Amino acid sequence: MIRRALLAFFCVLALTAALLRDNPVVSAAQGYAADVATTAAASYVTLRTLNAFLSTAQEIEVGLSFIASGSARPLKVLEPIDDTVERIAGLVFGVMVATGVIAVALGPVSAIGLGLLGLALGIWALSKRGHGGLPRRLAWYGGFLGLALPLALVVSEPLAGTLTEGVYDRNMEVIEEITARVGGSEALGEEEPGLTEYRQLASNLWSRADELIGALLAVLGVHVFRIFLLPLLLVGGLFVVARHYARD
């Protein structure tokens, strides 16, 4: 009787958690996903600003009158850097989209998993023999579906901060230092910048291109680690545990 009462209690608890719109675990996981998306959005804006500057600088034409008349684009050499920045910006945007999808999907997926867990516990509470191994498997896999990803994201928040905060801050300082004068009215003045200003800024970007691209890739790696790699590692560990107990 005590066993059935406990199973019935946990069944009601699981079903209640499945129906809650403000599940605290899911809300905490969604908050972490929103923080990652906000950080990625700031990186994306920086990249797109830099991309716009590089694209504009390449279009500047200089008249030629030596031997033959014509025009040239002396800053066209920035095109490889521009293409690389554009590709990295596209990847960061992909991280933002994926993070948004995860945040939206957390609630429904968790509700389905907890509903399956509640159903399995209800079968156990009402049955003398538990109908074999089906309720056990349903309970473990339902619990995994309902709690694994939210818990993985909740645990990832302090772990990711500890493991990647130094790398992220250090590389963001490098990016901000190199791109501080790009697109800013304080550096370029209120009027439209001329060829001299573009040459100075482009020369700075060109001389530190390797350092800039390395820092951008490191920041992208931090975003991917925070929202994909670390949660997947934790989810994989929880899945191994759930599969082991579901079989036994």
Side-chain angles (χ1 to χ4, degrees):
M1 292 297 296
I2 297 178
R3 174 178 173 273
R4 290 190 178 185
L6 288 175
L7 288 174
F9 171 76
F10 285 116
C11 172
V12 174
L13 187 63
L15 292 176
T16 302
L19 297 175
L20 282 177
R21 296 185 60 183
D22 296 325
N23 189 314
V25 179
V26 175
S27 298
Q30 289 175 332
Y32 172 68
D35 291 340
V36 174
T38 301
T39 306
S43 302
Y44 179 75
V45 171
T46 300
L47 289 170
R48 294 304 297 176
T49 302
L50 177 59
N51 187 222
F53 166 80
L54 291 171
S55 298
T56 304
Q58 293 178 68
E59 298 302 320
I60 295 179
E61 295 184 351
V62 178
L64 299 176
S65 58
F66 182 72
I67 301 178
S69 61
S71 62
R73 295 177 179 176
L75 300 182
K76 198 66 175 177
V77 294
L78 297 174
E79 185 174 3
I81 303 176
D82 187 22
D83 291 342
T84 303
V85 171
E86 186 175 4
R87 287 185 174 89
I88 296 176
L91 293 174
V92 173
F93 184 79
V95 171
M96 290 169 50
V97 173
T99 304
V101 172
I102 290 173
V104 172
L106 273 174
V109 172
S110 179
I112 293 173
L114 292 175
L116 294 176
L117 174 60
L119 176 63
L121 293 176
I123 295 174
W124 262 334
L126 297 174
S127 175
K128 295 181 178 180
R129 298 183 179 181
H131 295 292
L134 178 60
R136 182 180 66 249
R137 290 192 294 272
L138 192 63
W140 278 104
Y141 287 130
F144 168 79
L145 191 64
L147 298 174
L149 185 56
L151 285 177
L153 290 175
V154 170
V155 175
S156 293
E157 184 172 7
L159 284 178
T162 302
L163 296 174
T164 63
E165 185 175 5
V167 175
Y168 180 81
D169 292 341
R170 184 167 59 253
N171 285 280
M172 282 303 299
E173 289 177 1
V174 173
I175 295 172
E176 291 174 0
E177 178 187 352
I178 297 175
T179 63
R181 300 180 62 190
V182 174
S185 59
E186 296 179 358
L188 297 179
E190 298 297 333
E191 299 179 355
E192 183 71 18
L195 179 61
T196 302
E197 289 82 0
Y198 270 114
R199 276 179 172 173
Q200 291 175 351
L201 297 178
S203 176
N204 180 45
L205 292 173
W206 178 261
S207 62
R208 305 183 66 181
D210 294 341
E211 189 178 358
L212 173 64
I213 292 173
L216 292 175
L217 290 175
V219 169
L220 175 62
V222 169
H223 292 319
V224 173
F225 178 78
R226 285 179 174 179
I227 200 63
F228 293 119
L229 295 183
L230 183 57
L232 282 178
L233 290 174
L234 296 174
V235 168
L238 292 174
F239 178 75
V240 171
V241 174
R243 185 176 62 176
H244 171 75
Y245 284 102
R247 289 179 174 179
D248 294 338

